[in-house]
């Protein structure tokens, strides 16, 4: 049950987090939309006053009929407190209520004079204020119209909406917490049952130590075969221990009258050892992931539905007030002409005025003036087959009167989708936040399940299997937790006890010659059960899931600025005025890539020297300083420096994490694990890009950089706790990094094909198209910062999708080279399409295709390189081979960045994008000729030799 409660606790914590975030964002956005609607309505009032005033004189003090106009307009919006006309000095000269003070301060007067906007608004705790400049016929500023609106109704609406959303979130939290517990109880029933069987086995062993049996329930319940193997290993381990214990007791009894020196205590040697069999833990984990994510999505959609419905209900009264106000103003304008004796059909520019009204007030979809039939219309009439009489029954009508008779009327049809359009931006932002939190939730669930279930079971299975095979050379550091950890402690403590007794006997037998036969028997037993005179090794088991959440977070931190970084650089102070602006914008990215270039070749050798944990933590310091410095950066040179520093950190951190997977995953699982590594990495990049766009749009770029630094700190804390201690026994065996070896790697045709045909073109696409051209092209297509971030999310989402799909493809026995060719073709197709047909839609297609192709390529690219490093380039060592791949990959991307930036500056962005597509196709030709062609030639030569041998 410990496992069940721990998983349920993590699920509830995630549910609280996501519902809280969505609740807060929904309330804030609702308040923002409602505030804008109210202020817009008040702006209509002040604009109608300005339109009605006769502004021939040099001052507003002597405007004719000013008081009458204010009174008439105030009648149209009776909930407004007061409407004032102020002179150029900010003093009230006409008002509907002089008890409402509104004299402008000197700062507001200066702001009014310098402002380019004719209308502006202000909001305080108690009131909304709307202002409109009054210019005379000569264009000189002579005063201001101002309206004061109380926030009483606004506050009531906000309170009601907030109450509904919070109560809904609490109900959903309670409901889905209960559902989640039931689902976890059912899905983890086999794991819980297995835990109970372990307890039954332990209880039976304690009661009858001489009987080694598997509990009957294990066979009846048909538990996982891997779990049955675990029980058999535990029984075999107990048999071996009892045999060792019995023999040691016999020898100890023969030596009990002797004073044996105490064994000397040696420092423990901690060694990182890869898990060879992880099937048991994975079998249980897979039963939970989909259900947990599904429940979180269901809770999110439920809250979203209630929020959307409540928003419509909350904003509808304000929309009705706005529509009614606009209708009355239009009716009054027409009525004035009719009263003056002008027939409706003869009113000048009436249709133009109606169209202007629709332009200024998008919440109205149609306006029509009718006298039994429409004579003036503007907008879309949504029910063309309805007569005006039928529509008049459904829609409010505003009559036009002449001589106490209705001579016509105005029909206004509100846009029923206006509120949805107003809320679309927040819906998109909420969708972004939901996706980010879901990705984060998935990584947290993976971590929780690893710590609570798969890691204990896998470690217990490996240790019990070692002891079942007679290997008592190692122990495991236990963790606090469930009964599985207790069994690990039991096996480890027994190993410690055996070694202490063995050391004591060995020490005694060295002091006497009368027991020589015992010395031989003891040595024989030590060899059989692998007992060490220096004490047992302490094993720690590194696993790819140790770094997943931390990788996700620092990748998000590094890429948080991706969607706005070129625009951020372009807006900064530029001391490099003699350089083309298009190239200046690319310099921070070039600095980043150059730093990555010099750091990448040394990442693997430094990791072997310092260990994965120290290497990654050191790299995170660079990333933290980069983001912290960017917070204060004001010019391009500072941006280049801090971004280059981040490039060093990112290179060391990502490559050290990749080496962690390469070093400690079984060779047969490596391509699949690298695909999962890429999925976690780009999930973080996806989240960072998405959040960066939202944060920059809402709070500014400085907040985005500070939030990045915060994520790096959290990542460092996680890595400190998750990566186990111990010596890395693998990288010490590697040949040292030599530049001669790096250069020699290119002489191999297959390595040349992988490097120049796959790695360099794909790096060019990622670093130049995505990091540089993508945001500039979308900005040229009038996309907002948030839109750019959303389209970038598609790129990273497709990488995650294809990275996950990669495991299935490798299990289907599809070769890495075939996957690589497919990925290159998909990537190039998307780039060439958007180059020849530039639009936001083709950019979306390009983002999807390049992301999917890049995700397919990353795993096979590294796996093909590692096969060469472990095969025909083994003499060079994987340090040099991987270092060469990473070096040439970055050299190509830097050179390509400068060339593509120049092309973009001289021939335009579409030409630059198409150039990248052509380069990828050229790289594909190189790969096919040098790698697949070489393999085919080798196949023909082998076949020829075998034919000669047979003949």
């Amino acid at each position: 049950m410990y496992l069940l409660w721990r998983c349920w606790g993590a699920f509830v914590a995630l549910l609280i987090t996501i519902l809280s975030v969505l609740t807060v964002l929904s309330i804030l956005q609702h308040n923002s939309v409602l505030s804008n609607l109210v202020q817009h309505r008040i702006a209509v009032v002040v604009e109608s006053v300005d339109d009605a005033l006769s502004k021939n004189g040099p001052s507003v003090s002597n405007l004719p009929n000013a008081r009458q106009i204010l009174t008439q307009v105030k009648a149209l919006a009776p909930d407004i407190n007061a409407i004032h006309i102020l002179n150029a000095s900010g003093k009230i000269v006409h008002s509907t209520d002089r008890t409402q003070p509104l004299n402008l301060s000197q700062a507001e007067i200066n702001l009014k004079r310098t402002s380019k906007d004719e209308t502006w608004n202000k909001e305080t705790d108690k009131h909304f204020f709307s202002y409109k400049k009054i210019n005379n016929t000569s264009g000189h500023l002579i005063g201001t119209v101002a309206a004061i609106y109380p926030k009483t109704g606004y506050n009531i609406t906000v309170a009601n909406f907030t109450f509904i959303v919070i109560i809904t979130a609490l109900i959903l939290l309670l409901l889905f917490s209960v559902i989640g517990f039931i689902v976890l109880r059912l899905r983890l029933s086999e794991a819980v049952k297995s835990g109970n069987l372990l307890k039954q086995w332990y209880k039976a062993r304690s009661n009858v130590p001489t009987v080694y049996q598997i509990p009957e329930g294990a066979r009846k319940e048909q538990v996982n075969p891997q779990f049955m193997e675990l029980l058999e290993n535990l029984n075999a381990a107990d048999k071996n221990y009892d045999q060792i214990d019995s023999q040691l007791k016999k020898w100890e009894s023969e030596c009990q009258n002797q004073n044996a020196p105490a064994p000397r205590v040696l420092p423990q040697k901690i060694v990182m050892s890869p898990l060879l069999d992880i099937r048991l833990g994975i079998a249980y984990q897979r039963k939970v992931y989909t259900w947990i994510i599904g429940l979180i999505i269901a809770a999110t959609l439920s809250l979203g539905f209630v929020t959307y419905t409540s928003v419509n209900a909350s904003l509808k009264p304000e929309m009705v007030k706005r529509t009614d106000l606009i209708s009355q103003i239009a009716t009054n304008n027409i009525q004035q002409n009719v009263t003056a004796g002008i027939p409706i059909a003869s009113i000048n520019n009436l249709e133009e005025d109606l169209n202007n009204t629709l332009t200024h007030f998008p919440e109205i979809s149609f306006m029509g003036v009718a006298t039994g039939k429409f004579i003036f219309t503007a907008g879309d009439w949504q029910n063309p087959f309805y007569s005006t009489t039928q529509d008049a029954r459904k829609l409010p009508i505003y009559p036009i009167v002449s001589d106490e008779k209705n001579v016509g009327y105005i029909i206004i049809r509100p846009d029923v989708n206006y509120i949805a359009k107003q809320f679309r931006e927040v819906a998109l932002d909420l969708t972004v936040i939901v996706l980010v939190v879901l990705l984060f939730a998935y990584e947290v669930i993976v971590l929780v399940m690893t710590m609570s279930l798969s890691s204990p079971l896998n470690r217990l299975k490996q240790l019990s299997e070692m002891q079942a095979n007679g290997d008592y050379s190692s122990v495991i550091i236990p963790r606090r937790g469930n009964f599985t950890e207790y069994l690990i402690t039991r096996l480890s403590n027994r190993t410690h006890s055996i070694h202490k007794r063995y050391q004591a006997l060995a020490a005694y037998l060295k002091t006497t010659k009368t027991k020589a036969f015992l010395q031989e028997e003891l040595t024989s037993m030590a060899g059989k059960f692998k007992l060490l005179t220096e004490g047992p090794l302490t094993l720690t088991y590194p696993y790819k899931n140790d770094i997943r959440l931390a990788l996700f977070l620092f990748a998000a931190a590094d890429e948080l600025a991706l969607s706005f970084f070129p625009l951020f650089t372009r807006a900064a102070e530029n001391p490099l005025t003699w350089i083309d602006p298009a190239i200046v914008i690319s310099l921070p990215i070039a600095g980043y890539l150059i730093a990555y270039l010099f750091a990448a070749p040394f990442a693997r050798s430094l990791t072997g020297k310092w260990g994965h944990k120290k290497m990654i933590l050191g790299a995170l310091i660079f990333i933290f300083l980069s983001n912290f410095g960017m917070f204060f950066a004001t010019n391009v040179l500072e941006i280049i420096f801090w971004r280059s520093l981040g490039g060093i950190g990112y290179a060391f951190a990502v490559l050290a994490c990749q080496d962690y997977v390469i070093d400690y995953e079984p060779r047969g699982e490596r391509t699949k694990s690298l695909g999962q590594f890429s999925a976690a990495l780009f999930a973080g990049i996806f989240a960072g890009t998405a959040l960066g766009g939202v944060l920059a749009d809402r709070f500014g770029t400085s907040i985005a950089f500070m939030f990045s630094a915060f994520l790096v700190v959290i990542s460092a804390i996680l890595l400190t706790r998750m990566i186990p201690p111990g010596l890395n026994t693998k990288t010490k065996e590697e040949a040292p990094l030599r530049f001669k070896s790096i250069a020699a790697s290119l002489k191999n045709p297959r390595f040349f094909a992988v490097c120049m045909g796959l790695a360099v073109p794909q790096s060019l696409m990622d670093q130049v198209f995505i990091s540089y051209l993508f945001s500039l092209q979308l900005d040229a297509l009038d996309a907002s910062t948030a839109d750019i971030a959303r389209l970038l999310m598609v790129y990273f989402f497709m990488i995650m999708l294809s990275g996950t799909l990669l495991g299935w493809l490798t299990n289907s026995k599809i070769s890495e080279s075939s996957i690589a060719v497919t990925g290159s073709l998909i990537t190039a197709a998307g780039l060439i399409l958007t180059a020849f047909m530039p639009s936001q839609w083709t950019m979306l297609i390009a983002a999807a295709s390049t992301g999917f192709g890049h995700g397919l390529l990353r795993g096979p690219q590294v796996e093909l390189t590692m096969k060469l490093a472990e095969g025909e380039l083994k003499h060079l060592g994987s340090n040099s081979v991987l270092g060469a791949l990473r070096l040439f990959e970055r050299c190509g991307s830097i050179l390509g960045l400068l060339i593509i930036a120049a092309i973009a500056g001289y021939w335009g962005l579409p030409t630059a994008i198409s150039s990248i597509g052509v380069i990828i196709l050229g790289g594909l030709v190189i790969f096919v000729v040098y790698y697949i062609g070489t393999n085919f030639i080798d196949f023909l030569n082998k076949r020829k030799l075998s034919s000669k041998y047979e003949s």
Side-chain angles (χ1 to χ4, degrees):
M1 293 298 288
Y2 170 83
L3 170 65
L4 175 62
W5 286 109
R6 185 165 182 174
C7 290
W8 183 73
F11 169 74
V12 171
L14 288 172
L15 200 58
I16 291 172
T17 301
I18 192 169
L19 291 179
S20 299
V21 169
L22 291 177
T23 298
V24 171
L25 288 176
S26 298
I27 293 172
L28 291 176
Q29 188 64 26
H30 165 268
N31 297 350
S32 175
V33 172
L34 180 59
S35 174
N36 289 335
L37 290 175
V38 173
Q39 292 182 36
H40 195 186
R41 178 161 62 90
I42 306 171
V44 173
V45 173
V46 296
E47 286 178 4
S48 65
V49 172
D50 180 62
D51 292 339
L53 291 173
S54 176
K55 298 168 283 189
N56 294 323
S59 171
V60 294
S61 300
N62 299 319
L63 289 176
N65 301 324
R67 182 67 61 86
Q68 181 183 353
I69 292 171
L70 291 181
T71 303
Q72 290 175 350
V73 174
K74 173 74 167 57
L76 298 178
D79 49 354
I80 288 180
N81 280 356
I83 306 174
H84 305 302
I85 296 177
L86 301 92
N87 61 21
S89 300
K91 303 296 182 180
I92 297 176
V93 293
H94 304 287
S95 176
T96 60
D97 186 359
R98 286 185 173 273
T99 62
Q100 296 283 340
L102 190 69
N103 293 335
L104 297 181
S105 66
Q106 188 60 44
E108 289 175 313
I109 293 173
N110 294 335
L111 177 64
K112 177 183 68 172
R113 288 172 176 168
T114 57
S115 174
K116 296 180 180 179
D117 297 326
E118 292 293 318
T119 305
W120 70 100
N121 301 293
K122 186 175 73 171
E123 181 179 352
T124 64
D125 293 338
K126 295 183 179 180
H127 295 93
F128 291 107
F129 299 89
S130 185
Y131 303 91
K132 174 72 170 66
K133 291 180 181 180
I134 302 176
N135 297 316
N136 62 16
T137 54
S138 301
H140 296 112
L141 178 66
I142 59 174
T144 306
V145 180
I148 306 174
Y149 185 84
K151 294 185 73 173
T152 307
Y154 168 84
N155 290 334
I156 292 173
T157 303
V158 166
N160 291 337
F161 178 81
T162 302
F163 177 78
I164 292 172
V165 174
I166 290 177
I167 291 299
T168 302
L170 291 174
I171 293 173
L172 289 173
L173 174 62
L174 178 62
L175 176 63
F176 279 91
S177 295
V178 174
I179 295 175
F181 183 83
I182 296 172
V183 169
L184 287 172
R185 182 67 181 85
L186 294 174
R187 301 302 296 173
L188 290 174
S189 59
E190 187 175 345
V192 173
K193 197 181 299 177
S194 299
N196 293 333
L197 289 174
L198 280 176
K199 292 179 181 178
Q200 292 176 24
W201 171 84
Y202 178 73
K203 185 177 181 180
R205 288 287 300 122
S206 301
N207 294 335
V208 188
T210 57
V211 177
Y212 308 95
Q213 291 183 348
I214 294 176
E216 294 182 4
R219 304 188 189 280
K220 292 180 181 179
E221 299 288 352
Q222 296 182 347
V223 296
N224 189 288
Q226 297 295 316
F227 185 77
M228 292 294 296
E229 187 178 331
L230 170 62
L231 291 175
E232 292 170 356
N233 287 339
L234 287 171
N235 274 330
D238 275 13
K239 286 182 182 179
N240 287 335
Y241 171 76
D242 290 342
Q243 180 182 346
I244 298 171
D245 180 63
S246 174
Q247 192 64 48
L248 288 175
K249 283 180 179 178
K250 175 184 174 183
W251 292 333
E252 287 167 346
S253 64
E254 295 181 13
C255 303
Q256 63 183 352
N257 295 326
Q258 310 295 332
N259 293 322
R264 59 195 181 99
V265 179
L266 296 175
Q268 286 186 331
K269 185 178 181 182
I270 302 177
V271 177
M272 298 174 76
S273 175
L275 283 165
L276 302 178
D277 188 355
I278 57 175
R279 290 174 295 171
L280 179 57
I282 290 177
Y284 291 138
Q285 280 182 233
R286 287 174 177 168
K287 295 178 179 290
V288 176
Y289 288 158
T290 305
W291 283 91
I292 288 179
I293 298 299
L295 287 174
I296 291 177
I297 292 175
T300 301
L301 293 178
S302 300
L303 180 59
F305 175 77
V306 174
T307 299
Y308 184 79
T309 305
S310 301
V311 164
N312 277 282
S314 178
L315 299 184
K316 188 174 181 179
E318 179 60 31
M319 293 294 302
V320 171
K321 290 180 181 180
R322 283 165 56 87
T323 305
D324 184 64
L325 175 63
I326 296 164
S327 302
Q328 290 189 59
I329 292 173
T331 303
N332 286 348
N333 292 337
I334 297 174
Q335 184 67 57
Q336 289 176 6
N337 285 277
V338 171
T339 303
I342 303 173
I344 295 177
S346 301
I347 297 175
N348 292 329
N349 302 321
L350 180 54
E351 189 162 3
E352 182 181 347
D353 290 341
L354 295 179
N355 284 315
N356 288 336
T357 301
L358 261 63
T359 302
H360 286 93
F361 305 107
E363 63 269 30
I364 297 175
S365 63
F366 172 83
M367 288 187 72
V369 179
T371 58
K373 64 177 181 179
F374 286 125
I375 56 176
F376 294 107
T377 61
D380 297 325
W381 183 244
Q382 298 174 358
N383 295 304
F385 299 107
Y386 287 171
S387 70
T388 56
T389 304
Q390 288 175 312
D391 274 290
R393 297 171 187 168
K394 298 180 180 180
L395 297 173
I397 64 172
Y398 300 87
I400 302 168
V401 180
S402 178
D403 296 330
E404 298 183 356
K405 294 181 180 180
N406 291 343
V407 295
Y409 49 88
I410 293 179
I411 290 180
I412 292 183
R413 181 186 295 281
D415 186 352
V416 295
N417 297 318
Y418 180 73
I419 296 178
K421 293 174 184 176
Q422 287 288 308
F423 210 67
R424 185 183 65 176
E425 287 298 317
V426 71
L428 291 173
D429 287 346
L430 290 177
T431 302
V432 168
I433 299 298
V434 168
L435 289 173
V436 169
V437 176
L438 286 176
L439 291 172
F440 177 72
Y442 179 77
E443 297 301 331
V444 171
I445 290 299
V446 167
L447 181 62
V448 170
M449 293 297 293
T450 298
M451 296 291 292
S452 304
L453 179 60
S454 61
S455 176
L457 282 175
N458 290 332
R459 290 185 298 120
L460 176 62
K461 190 170 186 295
Q462 186 135 331
L463 185 60
S464 64
E465 186 174 355
M466 290 174 64
Q467 295 189 5
N469 294 329
D471 184 352
Y472 281 80
S473 62
S474 305
V475 296
I476 296 176
I477 299 176
R479 301 168 179 167
R480 290 182 301 172
N482 52 21
F483 187 70
T484 307
E485 296 289 354
Y486 172 78
L487 292 179
I488 292 174
T489 304
R490 176 175 177 265
L491 295 178
S492 296
N493 287 344
R494 293 193 316 192
T495 301
H496 279 299
S497 174
I498 289 172
H499 275 82
K500 287 181 180 179
R501 293 163 66 186
Y502 162 68
Q503 288 173 336
L505 282 170
Y508 164 71
L509 292 174
K510 286 181 181 179
T511 63
T512 179
K513 296 181 180 179
T514 59
K515 305 287 185 179
F517 67 96
L518 287 181
Q519 178 69 50
E520 294 178 2
E521 292 180 358
L522 184 64
T523 302
S524 175
M525 186 191 73
K528 179 180 178 181
F529 294 104
K530 299 183 180 179
L531 304 180
L532 308 176
T533 55
E534 64 273 17
L537 297 174
T538 299
L539 300 181
T540 58
Y541 292 108
Y543 184 45
K544 62 188 174 188
N545 288 348
D546 297 338
I547 60 170
R548 280 191 64 148
L549 183 56
L551 176 69
F552 174 89
L553 290 177
F554 80 70
D558 188 76
E559 300 298 330
L560 209 70
L562 180 60
S563 62
F564 63 84
F565 199 82
L567 306 179
F568 171 73
T569 306
R570 186 170 64 185
E573 181 185 347
N574 179 23
L576 308 174
T577 54
W578 65 91
I579 302 178
D580 184 270
I583 297 178
V584 171
I585 294 173
S586 70
L587 290 180
I589 303 173
Y592 180 92
L593 294 177
I594 291 171
Y596 197 111
L597 164 70
F598 286 106
F602 301 99
R604 187 164 178 79
S605 58
L606 290 176
T607 300
K609 181 179 180 180
W610 294 337
H612 297 87
K613 178 185 284 188
K614 291 181 180 178
M615 183 69 177
I616 300 172
L617 290 176
L620 291 185
I621 293 175
F622 286 91
I623 299 177
F624 174 83
L625 292 175
S626 171
N627 286 285
F628 190 75
M630 206 72 72
F631 178 83
F632 299 99
T634 58
N635 63 57
V636 172
L637 293 178
E638 292 175 355
I639 293 172
I640 293 172
F641 172 77
W642 292 116
R643 192 59 178 160
S644 300
L645 191 66
I648 296 173
Y650 188 76
F652 283 150
V654 170
L655 296 178
C657 287
Q658 187 183 72
D659 289 339
Y660 191 83
V661 175
I662 291 172
D663 289 341
Y664 295 117
E665 285 298 300
R667 186 173 298 182
E669 295 286 322
R670 201 160 53 195
T671 301
K672 180 180 178 180
S673 297
L674 286 170
Q676 293 172 348
F677 167 84
S678 295
L681 173 65
F682 283 95
I685 295 174
F686 173 97
T689 304
L691 279 178
V694 174
L695 288 174
D697 255 9
R698 302 288 177 186
F699 306 107
T701 56
S702 297
I703 297 299
F705 287 121
M706 192 53 67
F707 187 70
S708 296
F710 170 75
L711 290 181
V712 173
V713 172
I714 300 300
S715 177
I717 294 172
L718 283 171
L719 284 167
T720 302
R721 294 181 60 85
M722 291 303 301
I723 295 183
L727 298 175
N728 180 3
T729 58
K730 285 204 166 190
T731 54
K732 284 200 166 186
E733 300 170 359
E734 297 284 352
L737 177 68
R738 294 189 179 94
F739 284 104
K740 288 184 178 179
S741 301
I742 290 178
S745 300
L746 274 183
K747 296 179 181 178
N748 183 280
R750 291 186 179 88
F751 179 82
F752 178 82
V754 173
C755 185
M756 299 301 172
L758 300 180
V760 171
Q762 285 299 314
S763 178
L764 186 67
M765 182 279 299
D766 184 49
Q767 296 297 334
V768 180
F769 175 65
I770 295 299
S771 299
Y772 173 54
L773 296 177
F774 194 85
S775 57
L776 294 176
Q777 176 71 346
L778 282 171
D779 183 61
L781 295 170
D782 298 325
S784 68
T785 304
D787 289 333
I788 295 172
R790 293 176 192 124
L791 288 176
L792 275 174
M793 286 187 331
V794 174
Y795 171 76
F796 298 120
F797 179 79
M798 295 306 292
I799 291 179
M800 289 186 291
L801 181 64
S802 57
T804 305
L805 181 66
L806 191 59
W808 178 82
L809 292 175
T810 53
N811 290 338
S812 301
K813 307 302 181 184
I814 299 176
S815 67
E816 285 87 0
S817 56
S818 300
I819 297 172
V821 169
T822 304
S824 293
L825 287 173
I826 294 173
T827 303
L831 290 171
I832 293 174
L833 173 66
T834 195
F836 285 97
M837 300 174 62
S839 69
Q840 291 192 26
W841 283 107
T842 54
M843 287 296 287
L844 172 63
I845 295 172
S849 62
T850 53
F852 193 82
H854 191 58
L856 287 180
L857 273 164
R858 284 182 64 86
Q861 171 184 305
V862 176
E863 179 60 19
L864 290 172
T865 304
M866 286 303 298
K867 284 182 176 179
L868 292 172
E870 294 164 353
E872 53 194 281
L873 296 178
K874 187 176 182 180
H875 61 286
L876 299 178
S878 64
N879 284 346
S880 297
V881 177
L882 276 177
L885 178 73
R886 292 163 178 172
L887 176 66
F888 296 127
E889 182 181 26
R890 295 303 157 181
C891 282
S893 62
I894 292 170
L895 181 62
L897 173 63
L898 297 176
I899 295 174
I900 297 298
I903 292 174
Y906 288 102
W907 289 289
L909 297 172
T911 304
I913 294 172
S914 64
S915 300
I916 300 175
V918 172
I919 290 172
I920 290 174
L921 290 177
L924 182 59
V925 172
I926 292 174
F927 180 75
V928 170
V929 171
Y930 282 91
Y931 194 96
I932 299 178
T934 303
N935 287 346
F936 183 70
I937 291 172
D938 289 348
F939 170 76
L940 292 178
N941 290 335
K942 289 179 181 178
R943 187 173 180 179
K944 186 176 180 180
L945 288 173
S946 62
S947 299
K948 287 183 178 180
Y949 178 79
E950 289 175 358
S951 60

